[in-house]
């Protein structure tokens, strides 16, 4: 059982490499869905494995064994291995829960502040202009969705570039990219390796919005120029937007601009299939190992309670 629980804890270290491949081989929208689903499955497997280790360690202690009505010792490897592993798992889960709660509170405050700022002036359709000396523009989720842009950002761009930037932010809202970013943030607090996947998911969301906006605008060069100028204007600006509010000036802008200016990449079916297959395999292995380990733990508890014969 203990060996099985190690699989969900080790697999996330493989995913950052596959994430880079996915960004290169898959279309942005496919990469976004595949990476987000994989990250969530791996995060769930990691939490389940850590929780099983914690419970195993607790039931090795006499007080908790009595509380669990164990009449036989719990069948596990040596206590010299299980108890330290349980202690480490407890610490990891505690740190992850604390950082997630802290992030959730910070993001909630930032979201409320952003909505309040957007509501100070009547919107022009879905566009809210905020009077600020800091250039910024982003897609703000909520009901209704808004595109928030500061007066400083408007002054930094020409009329055509503004429309291209607005098309990018509207693409974020139409695709619901804030859900993907929130899921990536959640997964990142479950395993340190998934923080790199969070970065890849953010880039995939921006690339997806880039491609949708390029189609809407009909001029890839115009969109590339608008994103580059907006990023240069806002690189030193202070922003209060929440992390799950996507913005055209985030993620590696030079890489995105290069992708917009380059000819659309040809993707062979083989390269697409093997990347998708590897991601699905990792997710399936993590889920299977965590589930099997939890079932084996439950069986061992039943045996220790005398409900099943050895």
């Amino acid at each position: 059982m203990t060996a099985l629980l190690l699989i969900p804890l080790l697999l996330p270290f493989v995913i950052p490499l596959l994430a880079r491949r996915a960004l290169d081989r898959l279309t942005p929208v496919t990469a976004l869905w595949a990476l987000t689903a994989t990250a969530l499955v791996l995060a769930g497997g990691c939490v389940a494995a850590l929780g099983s280790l914690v419970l195993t360690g607790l039931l090795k202690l006499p007080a908790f064994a009595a509380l669990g009505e164990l009449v036989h010792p719990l069948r596990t490897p040596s206590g010299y291995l299980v108890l330290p592993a349980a202690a480490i798992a407890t610490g990891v889960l505690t740190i992850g829960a604390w950082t997630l709660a802290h992030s959730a509170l910070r993001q909630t405050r930032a979201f409320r502040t952003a909505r309040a700022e957007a509501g100070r002036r009547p919107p022009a359709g879905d566009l809210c202009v905020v009077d600020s000396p800091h250039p910024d523009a982003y897609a703000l989720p909520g009901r209704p969705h808004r595109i928030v842009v500061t007066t400083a950002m408007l002054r930094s761009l020409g009329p055509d570039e503004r429309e291209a930037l607005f098309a990018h932010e509207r693409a974020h809202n139409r695709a619901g990219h804030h859900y993907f970013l929130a899921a990536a943030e959640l997964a990142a607090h479950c395993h340190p390796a998934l923080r790199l996947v969070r970065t890849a998911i953010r880039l995939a969301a921006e690339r997806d919005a880039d491609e949708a906006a390029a189609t809407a605008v009909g001029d890839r060069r115009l969109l590339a120029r608008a994103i580059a100028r907006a990023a240069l204007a806002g690189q030193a600006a202070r922003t209060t937007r929440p992390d799950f509010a996507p913005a055209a000036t985030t993620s590696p802008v030079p890489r995105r601009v290069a992708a917009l200016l380059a000819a659309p990449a040809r993707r062979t079916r083989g390269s697409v299939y093997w990347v998708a297959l590897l991601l699905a395999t990792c997710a399936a292995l993590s889920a299977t190992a965590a589930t099997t380990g939890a079932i084996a733990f439950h069986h061992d508890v039943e045996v220790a309670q005398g409900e099943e014969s050895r």
Side-chain angles (χ1 to χ4, degrees), residues 73-154:
L74 187 66
R75 184 171 53 190
T76 64
S78 170
Y80 293 106
L81 175 64
V82 171
L83 292 179
I88 294 172
T90 301
V92 171
L93 283 176
T94 301
I95 293 173
W98 185 87
T99 58
L100 177 61
H102 181 268
S103 176
L105 289 174
R106 180 172 59 85
Q107 296 303 317
T108 299
R109 288 195 296 266
F111 175 70
R112 289 176 177 173
T113 300
R115 292 295 297 190
E117 288 181 350
R120 288 174 185 169
R121 289 187 178 184
D126 62 348
L127 183 64
C128 294
V129 179
V130 176
D131 188 10
S132 172
H134 305 289
D136 198 12
Y138 55 92
L140 183 62
R143 294 186 179 180
H145 291 329
R146 297 296 187 197
I147 298 171
V148 179
V149 60
T150 63
T151 51
M153 180 62 79
L154 292 177

Side-chain angles (χ1 to χ4, degrees), residues 256-308:
R256 292 166 49 208
V257 169
L260 284 170
L261 296 179
R266 290 186 177 181
R267 296 176 172 87
T268 63
R269 289 186 177 181
S271 65
V272 171
Y273 287 159
W274 77 260
V275 172
L277 179 62
L278 284 175
L279 287 172
T281 300
C282 288
L285 279 176
S286 178
T288 301
T291 302
T292 305
I295 292 173
F297 169 74
H298 182 263
H299 177 266
D300 290 342
V301 171
E302 288 184 334
V303 170
Q305 290 174 334
E307 297 180 11
E308 293 190 12

